[in-house]
Amino acid sequence: MMRTLKFVFAAFVMVLFIQSCESNLDLQPEDGRLTADAAFEDPAAYKQFLAKLYAGISLSGQDGPAGNPDLAGLDEGFSNYLRLYWKMQQLTSDEALIGWNDGTIKDLHSQTWTSGNEFIRTMYSRVFYQIALTNEFLRQTTSSKLDSRGVDADLRAQIQDYRAEARFMRALSYWHAMDLFGNVPFITEADPIGAFLPEQIQRADLFNYIEGELLDIEGDIVAARQNEYGRADQAAVWMLLAKLYLNAEVYTGTPRYSEVVTYTNNIIGAGYTIPANEYYQLFLADNDSNGAQEEVIFTIPFDGLNTQSFGGMTFLVHAPVGGSMDPADFGINGGWFGVRTTPTFVEQFPGEENSADGRALFYTDGQEKDIFDTSPFNQGFAVEKFRNVDVNGNAGSDTTGDHPDTDFPMFRLADAYLMYAEASLRGGGGSMSTARDYINELRERAYGNTSGNITEADITLDFILAERSRELFWEAHRRTDLIRFGQFSSQGIWQWKGNVQQGVTTEAFRDIMPIPAADLGVNTNLQQNEGY
């Protein structure tokens, strides 16, 4: 049974020295430090530490919403893991752009970033901070450590589940590192604590490591749909494996589409369903209980009272609201006049803003479709995807209107359906008639009837790429998808790509982000990615 895990944890103090190259940079861990054994005197500390690993995606420090950050060197709201990852995946693509002039943020959409970009640097730092946390959890939960603390058999059994989840969380962050940066520093729990210079691992070798970790925990982690809501289970492992294999040709040069079919079949057979909800209800404040949760494989939970930050869903609900949009319709106290979308994305929908496709969640009143200047909020259609209201229109639990209850669906069944279809089309051995049925199930939800249904002949690679955008927009998939389809840098064009209004292609090396210049300056083991 799925039960809600609220990330209300004591200010847990742990022995940790960030082992990535960030140890000598301006982004430093700011946790207090006690001896490890003292920290673990309370048996509940093990689950509290596990909660910190999960909260590392949603929160930015020890005190919400701000004031005691994990990392120093960038505004705490900007340094949130989910907010940064979303920007890497979305602002670099045709699905989103931002009007703010904070530092080098506009360089993401224009694809003109350098190795000095502070948002890329902080994403890199956040990933390796998260990896360092998981490494330390694994060090502190070995059999010898548990023996020395006299941990009883019942707690030991729970800790073994926690260890599998920690390894999943580390694999997730290493996947983000591999996908974004290619060849990165590599550290595990076997490495020494303290300042040292990690070796750089090649992308294909890191792929093998992540794959091996996931295969190793596949049979140990809690079974699919049997863990607490917000915690990883076997289906989350299957989904991450399927993601690895779907992009294997990019990462290693060798396609692995048959494995995508295998693991998406595992997920599809595990009891997840496409709920009866209308599409927009998947992204409301009660999406943990309104039926939408039946589709979700792995979520990042948010609670307006207990998981407060200015990143994560606070950003994703507030930043797209501006112009004549009424903040009350979104359950918030005001919009941030930031994020909109491009005409290229709007044109994915037949009929555009008047599309019969219920996924076309555009706000057009006072908004221009074309973008002649990226700064004014009214240039580019606004997007109404994430809201802090429930299905009845009631605002979330934070009466100030700052922090939403809306959870972020990192992995959901619709994605698995589309991955199955793509892998089948690319020769992975699946059934194209089954792929058609899966896609039509999604489109019947979107249209409310069968008028948008397709045939097998309609399923082409161009269709799959467009359908993934229509179904999964703003869910942090687009950059990776465009790269896999060869449309990210040197081919695809959208407004303000290349810092030109009509858009131009950019250099192919931008399919991988640069290793931050600051890290290169302290770790002589690292080589910069080509082109930077």
Side-chain angles (χ1 to χ4, degrees), residues 270-289:
Y272 298 94
T273 59
I274 299 298
N277 302 66
E278 293 183 56
Y279 179 81
Y280 79 93
Q281 294 177 344
L282 305 182
F283 313 102
L284 299 181
D286 57 349
N287 64 350
D288 62 340
S289 60

Side-chain angles (χ1 to χ4, degrees), residues 128-145:
F128 284 102
Y129 177 78
Q130 183 76 1
I131 289 168
L133 286 176
T134 58
N135 285 341
E136 187 61 20
F137 181 88
L138 294 170
R139 287 192 193 96
Q140 296 298 333
T141 54
T142 61
S143 294
S144 61
K145 289 284 188 182

Side-chain angles (χ1 to χ4, degrees), residues 95-144:
E95 288 184 354
L97 81 163
I98 198 163
W100 303 339
N101 289 303
D102 299 276
T104 58
I105 196 168
K106 285 188 174 179
D107 293 351
L108 297 177
H109 186 77
S110 65
Q111 295 193 6
T112 56
W113 57 75
T114 70
S115 61
N117 184 287
E118 67 267 38
F119 297 95
I120 294 173
R121 183 189 75 233
T122 312
M123 178 77 257
Y124 179 93
S125 302
R126 178 57 74 175
V127 165
F128 284 102
Y129 177 78
Q130 183 76 1
I131 289 168
L133 286 176
T134 58
N135 285 341
E136 187 61 20
F137 181 88
L138 294 170
R139 287 192 193 96
Q140 296 298 333
T141 54
T142 61
S143 294
S144 61

Side-chain angles (χ1 to χ4, degrees), residues 400-443:
T400 71
D402 276 332
H403 304 291
D405 293 336
T406 315
D407 298 341
F408 183 81
M410 184 166 280
F411 297 148
R412 60 186 178 94
L413 182 61
D415 190 4
Y417 277 1
L418 293 169
M419 291 165 67
Y420 175 93
E422 180 183 340
S424 299
L425 184 63
R426 291 183 185 270
S431 162
M432 291 309 299
S433 62
T434 300
R436 175 204 61 208
D437 293 344
Y438 288 157
I439 293 170
N440 282 339
E441 188 175 355
L442 301 180
R443 292 176 70 85

